[in-house]
Every structure is written in structure tokens, then in C-alpha cells.
Amino acid sequence: MMGGLLFIGQAIGAITLTHRADIIGRRATMLFFGSGYAILLILFTFAQNIMQVYIYIFFIGLLFVPRIVCIFTYIFEITPDKYH
């Protein structure tokens, strides 16, 4: 169940949230999604029942893909051309 919810969250996040970097900027996107991801991991650590675990896993998956895509693109933009 946890793997399925993580995958569903990743799929929904990839479809709906990856374009946020173009709207609000890559740095703001990384800070927003990264801080949300960190908060969810802390909440996941202190979850008290299985329902909370399922909810946190889903939202962790939701924020995972946009964060990774944005970081990859940002690093590619700031590296010198000779390293591309």
C-alpha cells in the first residue's frame, strides 16, 4: 500500500506540479518543495498510526518528482558549458 501511494503521488506530482518552476522560478520552487518535503519526512517519522503514514507517503511522493526535476535543471543551468 505504501509503495502504491508513493507511486500515485509521484505520478500526480509529475503531471500537476512540474510546471511550477516555470511559473514561480526554480529557486523558489526548490525552497518551497524542499522545505515541504523535509517537514513531511519529520511528520512521517513521528506518525502515530498507519493512516498518517499513508497520507505522509502520498504527499512525499507528490513533492518528490517536481523537486528532483527542478534541481536537475537548475544544476544543469549553473554549470559551465565545458562540463555539459
Side-chain angles (χ1 to χ4, degrees):
M1 184 68 166
M2 287 192 297
L5 286 172
L6 183 70
F7 177 73
I8 291 168
Q10 288 175 345
I12 292 171
I15 292 168
T16 60
L17 297 177
T18 52
H19 69 285
R20 290 285 176 212
D22 296 330
I23 297 170
I24 63 173
R26 285 180 182 79
R27 185 169 188 259
T29 302
M30 286 188 302
L31 288 173
F32 180 71
F33 287 147
S35 61
Y37 190 80
I39 291 168
L40 283 167
L41 286 176
I42 292 168
L43 290 172
F44 176 76
T45 303
F46 296 108
Q48 296 179 359
N49 58 38
I50 195 69
M51 202 61 178
Q52 288 179 346
V53 169
Y54 290 157
I55 292 168
Y56 296 148
I57 286 288
F58 172 77
F59 284 108
I60 286 170
L62 192 70
L63 296 180
F64 182 77
V65 174
R67 187 177 58 93
I68 295 300
V69 169
C70 188
I71 289 171
F72 176 75
T73 306
Y74 184 70
I75 289 173
F76 190 71
E77 288 176 348
I78 65 172
T79 55
D81 288 337
K82 68 180 182 177
Y83 296 116
H84 289 183

